[in-house]
Amino acid sequence: MSSEEPSIFTRIINREIPADIVFEDDDLIALKDINPQAPVHLLVVPKIPDYENVHELAAGDPALLAHMVAVANQLAAEHSDGQFRLVFNSGENAGQTVFHVHAHVLSGGLAEGSLA
Ligand code: 5GP
């Protein structure tokens, strides 16, 4: 990742592109997805661009992955009813379009929805 163009999320983190940012700390940023697939659809993104997907992150920095899950839980409580789906697309054939690891936090009226 680091040898390539900065990802869209790095550009948002650097405030080069506007986004609806709902959370930020030293390690993570969270923003509203531009194309929401649920009543609440947030993205939780590590600030470092080193990890392309969740299995690289889990192997390289499990504490950061755990922090993402904790923040997802907190955001679901703040923005919805505390119940949520946490989705990591991993690979193009799985729908991944941005190769800077991120979690989709989907919440609100999902019981009858699809898994997409
Ligand atoms: P992926 O398909 O890689 O799992 O998820 C990438 C997500 O980023 C998509 O849900 C897409 O809607 C979202 N996204 C792409 N570009 C932007 C953007 O410029 N701003 C925001 N807020 N979300 C974006």
Side-chain angles (χ1 to χ4, degrees):
M1 189 70 236
S2 49
S3 60
E4 301 167 14
E5 289 287 298
S7 74
I8 190 91
F9 297 141
T10 292
R11 298 183 68 197
I12 288 170
I13 289 160
N14 292 339
R15 304 312 200 261
E16 294 165 12
I17 294 177
D20 197 340
I21 294 167
V22 297
F23 174 88
E24 182 167 19
D25 67 12
D26 288 346
D27 302 310
L28 300 179
I29 199 161
L31 56 141
K32 292 187 180 177
D33 197 292
I34 204 167
N35 182 24
Q37 304 297 311
V40 174
H41 186 171
L42 305 174
L43 301 170
V44 179
V45 188
K47 287 186 172 177
I48 53 166
D50 303 35
Y51 303 106
E52 279 197 8
N53 54 51
V54 67
H55 55 88
E56 284 185 11
L57 176 62
D61 194 343
L64 183 55
L65 175 58
H67 185 42
M68 290 174 73
V69 175
V71 168
N73 186 61
Q74 176 190 320
L75 292 171
E78 288 172 6
H79 292 263
S80 186
D81 60 2
Q83 300 179 32
F84 61 99
R85 211 174 265 166
L86 194 62
V87 174
F88 291 87
N89 295 326
S90 188
E92 259 178 68
N93 290 342
Q96 187 174 10
T97 58
V98 181
F99 293 86
H100 175 154
V101 66
H102 54 280
H104 297 257
V105 183
L106 301 153
S107 188
L110 294 174
E112 292 165 17
S114 77
L115 280 174

